[in-house]
Amino acid sequence: MQCLACVNPFGAGGIMLKRGLDFGTSAILLLLALPSLLIAALIIRMTSRGPVLFRQTRMGRGFQPFEILKLRTMEFAKEGTRYTLGPDPR
């Protein structure tokens, strides 16, 4: 019996079709989200110091590292800032 996750529902050449559908859907959704992302970036820029975007290294397929750009959602660390306060033993 074949695994259901291994069955290609598109038949021969389905990998390219699926890749095209995935890419097209992602592009459309990114364009729809772009105004919200630009507004969020503008608000971050106007309300705090530091960069709007930051890079983070993640592990991808086959444990290959890749960099992702993310909107900064926390306050930019100031020089000499302590991350733990109070009785925390770290």
Side-chain angles (χ1 to χ4, degrees):
M1 178 181 237
Q2 191 173 16
C3 159
L4 289 178
C6 301
V7 175
N8 185 351
F10 298 110
I15 299 294
M16 294 301 288
L17 178 62
K18 182 174 182 331
R19 175 75 173 143
L21 287 172
D22 288 348
F23 186 81
T25 303
S26 298
I28 290 169
L29 291 174
L30 181 61
L31 288 174
L32 290 173
L34 193 60
S36 298
L37 293 171
L38 290 174
I39 290 169
L42 191 64
I43 291 171
I44 291 170
R45 182 49 132 177
M46 290 175 17
T47 59
S48 63
R49 296 181 359 179
V52 172
L53 298 173
F54 73 96
R55 293 180 190 272
Q56 186 178 50
T57 302
R58 299 265 179 113
M59 297 305 275
R61 183 180 293 169
F63 299 102
Q64 294 294 319
F66 68 96
E67 286 191 349
I68 185 172
L69 286 174
K70 297 176 74 174
L71 285 174
R72 184 176 52 85
T73 57
M74 297 180 69
E75 187 174 318
F76 191 69
K78 296 168 186 67
E79 188 69 31
T81 300
R82 292 181 53 192
Y83 290 100
T84 59
L85 300 173
D88 192 342
R90 290 183 279 170

